[in-house]
Amino acid sequence: MTVPRGPVDSSRVPRFAGPATFARLPRLDEVGHADVAVVGVPFDSGVSYRPGARFGPSAVREASRLLRPYHPGLDVSPFAAVQVADAGDIAVNPFDIREAVETIEEAASGLTEDGTRLVTVGGDHTIALPLLRTAARRHGPVALLHFDAHLDTWDTYFGAEYTHGTPFRRAVEEGILDTEAVCHVGTRGPLYGKKDLEDDRRLGFGIVTSADVMRRGVDEITGALRQRIGGRPLYLSIDIDVLDPAHAPGTGTPEAGGLTSRELLEILRGLAGCDLVGADVVEVSPAYDHAEITSVAASHVAYDLISLLALKEEQ
């Protein structure tokens, strides 16, 4: 077995120097093949309020310079266990959402055709739809845990079918989700009306609110999520606004009363052993961030996702 090429040694090259890749990992073109690839999608033309998530991938990469190679919470050294590489960014048309969705799907399909699993950094939540299409083409309809303050199952915005608030309705309509194993986590805040919840329930989604996490605790919630997922192929989609604005101010549609970064990371770690096939972290808008709070949180979420995938590859 080829020994994976890991990140630049921070004891030899200071973290504020060296390559600007995620966690200072090698580029995909430097290693040829990766078991796990981090790819950016700098796209935010689907947002309905604050723009700026197109700058999310670069901000998350910059914040990831502080990450270290051993994950004590999961007892894994992900960069030594499997080959992880940075695949750069998928360049998409910022003026045509439909074309952008098609470009992301094509690029993701190309990156995963040899079995590579993706951790994608957005960008806005529109990008989840083409990523789910790619995962379902390879694995069949997938289970989904959607971490978000919002449902993202609305029908249209201003008549547009493809926005950051509609990807999971489109995914259900396209038959790419296993609707017996889909759930929102961390939802909260005002809705347009009770019909939003009724439509969401009809689509098959379960809901774990941020208040549920607070009242029931991480362990109980994680157990319930694992039971809902079972052994199905699982995709994780994480909107950073699932975190309270105190933990993630740099996002497009902040809502009070969210999860702490600790709660989110512990729930993710509780999913170790699940059949994770891909994941995304989206909606980091660095112009609204302070002291890289949001970017740091997102970089740690991405690191935990990589670690979960590394554990799966080791099995």
Side-chain angles (χ1 to χ4, degrees):
M1 176 181 174
T2 304
V3 176
R5 177 175 167 184
V8 171
D9 185 349
S10 61
S11 68
R12 296 178 178 274
V13 180
R15 290 190 177 89
F16 46 80
T21 55
F22 184 86
R24 306 203 303 169
L25 286 160
R27 301 190 313 269
L28 182 58
D29 62 0
E30 294 178 307
V31 295
H33 168 76
D35 301 295
V36 179
V38 179
V39 63
V41 184
F43 172 85
D44 65 1
S45 300
V47 300
S48 57
Y49 193 53
R50 292 174 175 173
R54 65 185 60 184
F55 301 110
S58 59
V60 173
R61 285 189 177 101
E62 186 63 23
S64 74
R65 288 177 176 272
L66 196 58
L67 294 172
R68 299 176 181 86
Y70 174 64
H71 192 313
L74 291 171
D75 188 24
V76 65
S77 297
F79 308 139
V82 297
Q83 182 62 67
V84 188
D86 190 320
D89 288 341
I90 299 173
V92 296
N93 187 338
F95 302 111
D96 188 322
I97 295 179
R98 285 181 179 271
E99 181 183 322
V101 167
E102 292 171 0
T103 300
I104 296 165
E105 183 179 353
E106 181 180 355
S109 295
L111 286 168
T112 57
E113 64 183 358
D114 62 353
T116 298
R117 297 174 191 263
L118 297 184
V119 173
T120 307
V121 181
D124 75 54
H125 224 152
T126 311
I127 73 170
L129 178 61
L131 296 170
L132 283 166
R133 287 174 178 170
T134 301
R137 187 177 298 111
R138 185 173 184 85
H139 303 281
V142 295
L144 170 71
L145 291 182
H146 167 222
F147 294 79
D148 201 321
H150 311 96
L151 301 173
D152 288 3
T153 51
W154 286 279
D155 191 11
T156 61
Y157 277 105
F158 296 91
E161 295 180 332
Y162 299 99
T163 77
H164 75 160
T166 64
F168 302 113
R169 181 181 287 246
R170 299 288 90 83
V172 170
E173 292 170 347
E174 293 179 16
I176 57 180
L177 296 181
D178 184 336
T179 53
E180 293 185 357
V182 292
C183 191
H184 308 294
V185 183
T187 54
R188 61 192 186 276
L191 298 169
Y192 294 107
K194 192 172 183 178
K195 187 176 182 297
D196 292 344
L197 294 172
E198 294 168 351
D199 286 351
D200 195 74
R201 192 177 302 112
R202 178 177 54 80
L203 293 170
F205 281 87
I207 294 179
V208 175
T209 68
S210 60
D212 291 331
V213 175
M214 182 269 292
R215 291 192 175 96
R216 296 168 58 189
V218 165
D219 291 342
E220 181 181 335
I221 292 297
T222 304
L225 294 175
R226 292 185 68 103
Q227 185 174 11
R228 188 176 184 94
I229 297 160
R232 299 171 177 88
L234 171 64
Y235 189 92
L236 297 177
S237 189
I238 301 167
D239 187 326
I240 205 64
D241 74 21
V242 73
L243 299 180
D244 189 87
H247 298 265
T251 192
T253 47
E255 304 279 358
L259 303 186
T260 67
S261 53
R262 179 175 58 238
E263 287 171 330
L264 174 58
L265 292 172
E266 286 302 317
I267 291 173
L268 293 178
R269 292 165 191 173
L271 299 174
C274 291
D275 186 15
L276 185 60
V277 298
D280 62 62
V281 186
V282 299
E283 299 284 355
V284 174
S285 186
Y288 296 95
D289 207 3
H290 304 286
E292 297 184 309
I293 293 172
T294 313
S295 300
V296 167
S299 71
H300 279 261
V301 168
Y303 177 66
D304 271 43
L305 295 171
I306 292 167
S307 298
L308 289 172
L309 286 165
L311 282 172
K312 183 183 184 305
E313 294 291 336
E314 280 190 320
Q315 292 173 350

PDB file of all heavy atoms in Angstrom, residues 129 133 162 169-177:
ATOM      1  N   LEU A 129     -27.775  20.050  -4.507  1.00  0.00           N
ATOM      2  CA  LEU A 129     -28.557  19.253  -5.451  1.00  0.00           C
ATOM      3  C   LEU A 129     -27.677  18.499  -6.442  1.00  0.00           C
ATOM      4  O   LEU A 129     -27.807  17.271  -6.568  1.00  0.00           O
ATOM      5  CB  LEU A 129     -29.574  20.136  -6.177  1.00  0.00           C
ATOM      6  CG  LEU A 129     -30.422  19.418  -7.232  1.00  0.00           C
ATOM      7  CD1 LEU A 129     -31.248  18.299  -6.617  1.00  0.00           C
ATOM      8  CD2 LEU A 129     -31.326  20.413  -7.961  1.00  0.00           C
ATOM      9  N   ARG A 133     -27.169  14.394  -6.694  1.00  0.00           N
ATOM     10  CA  ARG A 133     -27.366  13.654  -7.949  1.00  0.00           C
ATOM     11  C   ARG A 133     -26.169  12.738  -8.218  1.00  0.00           C
ATOM     12  O   ARG A 133     -26.337  11.568  -8.598  1.00  0.00           O
ATOM     13  CB  ARG A 133     -27.525  14.626  -9.110  1.00  0.00           C
ATOM     14  CG  ARG A 133     -28.839  15.370  -9.168  1.00  0.00           C
ATOM     15  CD  ARG A 133     -28.791  16.392 -10.287  1.00  0.00           C
ATOM     16  NE  ARG A 133     -30.039  17.135 -10.449  1.00  0.00           N
ATOM     17  CZ  ARG A 133     -30.165  18.194 -11.236  1.00  0.00           C
ATOM     18  NH1 ARG A 133     -29.120  18.649 -11.926  1.00  0.00           N
ATOM     19  NH2 ARG A 133     -31.334  18.812 -11.339  1.00  0.00           N
ATOM     20  N   TYR A 162     -34.372  26.640  -8.787  1.00  0.00           N
ATOM     21  CA  TYR A 162     -33.053  26.268  -8.283  1.00  0.00           C
ATOM     22  C   TYR A 162     -32.469  27.444  -7.504  1.00  0.00           C
ATOM     23  O   TYR A 162     -31.976  28.413  -8.085  1.00  0.00           O
ATOM     24  CB  TYR A 162     -32.123  25.861  -9.433  1.00  0.00           C
ATOM     25  CG  TYR A 162     -32.637  24.662 -10.190  1.00  0.00           C
ATOM     26  CD1 TYR A 162     -33.315  24.815 -11.393  1.00  0.00           C
ATOM     27  CD2 TYR A 162     -32.483  23.377  -9.674  1.00  0.00           C
ATOM     28  CE1 TYR A 162     -33.802  23.714 -12.076  1.00  0.00           C
ATOM     29  CE2 TYR A 162     -32.971  22.271 -10.350  1.00  0.00           C
ATOM     30  CZ  TYR A 162     -33.632  22.452 -11.544  1.00  0.00           C
ATOM     31  OH  TYR A 162     -34.127  21.355 -12.209  1.00  0.00           O
ATOM     32  N   ARG A 169     -36.266  19.837  -1.912  1.00  0.00           N
ATOM     33  CA  ARG A 169     -37.528  19.529  -2.589  1.00  0.00           C
ATOM     34  C   ARG A 169     -37.226  18.960  -3.977  1.00  0.00           C
ATOM     35  O   ARG A 169     -37.811  17.948  -4.388  1.00  0.00           O
ATOM     36  CB  ARG A 169     -38.424  20.755  -2.718  1.00  0.00           C
ATOM     37  CG  ARG A 169     -39.752  20.413  -3.418  1.00  0.00           C
ATOM     38  CD  ARG A 169     -40.632  21.642  -3.554  1.00  0.00           C
ATOM     39  NE  ARG A 169     -41.209  22.030  -2.294  1.00  0.00           N
ATOM     40  CZ  ARG A 169     -42.513  21.978  -2.010  1.00  0.00           C
ATOM     41  NH1 ARG A 169     -43.365  21.498  -2.905  1.00  0.00           N
ATOM     42  NH2 ARG A 169     -42.960  22.380  -0.846  1.00  0.00           N
ATOM     43  N   ARG A 170     -36.302  19.596  -4.698  1.00  0.00           N
ATOM     44  CA  ARG A 170     -35.936  19.081  -6.026  1.00  0.00           C
ATOM     45  C   ARG A 170     -35.359  17.664  -5.908  1.00  0.00           C
ATOM     46  O   ARG A 170     -35.639  16.801  -6.735  1.00  0.00           O
ATOM     47  CB  ARG A 170     -34.904  19.993  -6.690  1.00  0.00           C
ATOM     48  CG  ARG A 170     -35.309  21.419  -6.945  1.00  0.00           C
ATOM     49  CD  ARG A 170     -36.329  21.567  -8.077  1.00  0.00           C
ATOM     50  NE  ARG A 170     -37.690  21.495  -7.556  1.00  0.00           N
ATOM     51  CZ  ARG A 170     -38.343  22.521  -7.022  1.00  0.00           C
ATOM     52  NH1 ARG A 170     -37.749  23.701  -6.901  1.00  0.00           N
ATOM     53  NH2 ARG A 170     -39.574  22.369  -6.578  1.00  0.00           N
ATOM     54  N   ALA A 171     -34.565  17.427  -4.862  1.00  0.00           N
ATOM     55  CA  ALA A 171     -33.948  16.106  -4.690  1.00  0.00           C
ATOM     56  C   ALA A 171     -35.002  15.028  -4.452  1.00  0.00           C
ATOM     57  O   ALA A 171     -34.897  13.919  -4.991  1.00  0.00           O
ATOM     58  CB  ALA A 171     -32.945  16.140  -3.544  1.00  0.00           C
ATOM     59  N   VAL A 172     -36.019  15.344  -3.652  1.00  0.00           N
ATOM     60  CA  VAL A 172     -37.103  14.383  -3.432  1.00  0.00           C
ATOM     61  C   VAL A 172     -37.855  14.143  -4.731  1.00  0.00           C
ATOM     62  O   VAL A 172     -38.151  13.002  -5.112  1.00  0.00           O
ATOM     63  CB  VAL A 172     -38.063  14.876  -2.329  1.00  0.00           C
ATOM     64  CG1 VAL A 172     -39.313  13.992  -2.274  1.00  0.00           C
ATOM     65  CG2 VAL A 172     -37.363  14.873  -0.975  1.00  0.00           C
ATOM     66  N   GLU A 173     -38.162  15.218  -5.447  1.00  0.00           N
ATOM     67  CA  GLU A 173     -38.900  15.095  -6.707  1.00  0.00           C
ATOM     68  C   GLU A 173     -38.141  14.254  -7.726  1.00  0.00           C
ATOM     69  O   GLU A 173     -38.748  13.520  -8.520  1.00  0.00           O
ATOM     70  CB  GLU A 173     -39.179  16.483  -7.290  1.00  0.00           C
ATOM     71  CG  GLU A 173     -40.153  17.312  -6.466  1.00  0.00           C
ATOM     72  CD  GLU A 173     -40.228  18.754  -6.920  1.00  0.00           C
ATOM     73  OE1 GLU A 173     -39.354  19.197  -7.713  1.00  0.00           O
ATOM     74  OE2 GLU A 173     -41.159  19.470  -6.483  1.00  0.00           O
ATOM     75  N   GLU A 174     -36.822  14.332  -7.703  1.00  0.00           N
ATOM     76  CA  GLU A 174     -35.995  13.595  -8.660  1.00  0.00           C
ATOM     77  C   GLU A 174     -35.735  12.156  -8.227  1.00  0.00           C
ATOM     78  O   GLU A 174     -35.112  11.383  -8.959  1.00  0.00           O
ATOM     79  CB  GLU A 174     -34.665  14.322  -8.872  1.00  0.00           C
ATOM     80  CG  GLU A 174     -34.822  15.672  -9.565  1.00  0.00           C
ATOM     81  CD  GLU A 174     -33.495  16.388  -9.754  1.00  0.00           C
ATOM     82  OE1 GLU A 174     -32.423  15.732  -9.626  1.00  0.00           O
ATOM     83  OE2 GLU A 174     -33.511  17.597 -10.054  1.00  0.00           O
ATOM     84  N   GLY A 175     -36.178  11.783  -7.016  1.00  0.00           N
ATOM     85  CA  GLY A 175     -36.022  10.405  -6.560  1.00  0.00           C
ATOM     86  C   GLY A 175     -34.614  10.026  -6.163  1.00  0.00           C
ATOM     87  O   GLY A 175     -34.274   8.834  -6.144  1.00  0.00           O
ATOM     88  N   ILE A 176     -33.795  11.009  -5.797  1.00  0.00           N
ATOM     89  CA  ILE A 176     -32.401  10.715  -5.456  1.00  0.00           C
ATOM     90  C   ILE A 176     -32.175  10.602  -3.948  1.00  0.00           C
ATOM     91  O   ILE A 176     -31.071  10.308  -3.504  1.00  0.00           O
ATOM     92  CB  ILE A 176     -31.436  11.760  -6.060  1.00  0.00           C
ATOM     93  CG1 ILE A 176     -31.788  13.178  -5.595  1.00  0.00           C
ATOM     94  CG2 ILE A 176     -31.460  11.667  -7.574  1.00  0.00           C
ATOM     95  CD1 ILE A 176     -30.863  14.251  -6.163  1.00  0.00           C
ATOM     96  N   LEU A 177     -33.250  10.823  -3.150  1.00  0.00           N
ATOM     97  CA  LEU A 177     -33.171  10.637  -1.704  1.00  0.00           C
ATOM     98  C   LEU A 177     -34.021   9.445  -1.287  1.00  0.00           C
ATOM     99  O   LEU A 177     -35.089   9.203  -1.843  1.00  0.00           O
ATOM    100  CB  LEU A 177     -33.666  11.885  -0.969  1.00  0.00           C
ATOM    101  CG  LEU A 177     -32.871  13.172  -1.147  1.00  0.00           C
ATOM    102  CD1 LEU A 177     -33.500  14.291  -0.326  1.00  0.00           C
ATOM    103  CD2 LEU A 177     -31.421  12.975  -0.750  1.00  0.00           C
TER     104      LEU A 177
END
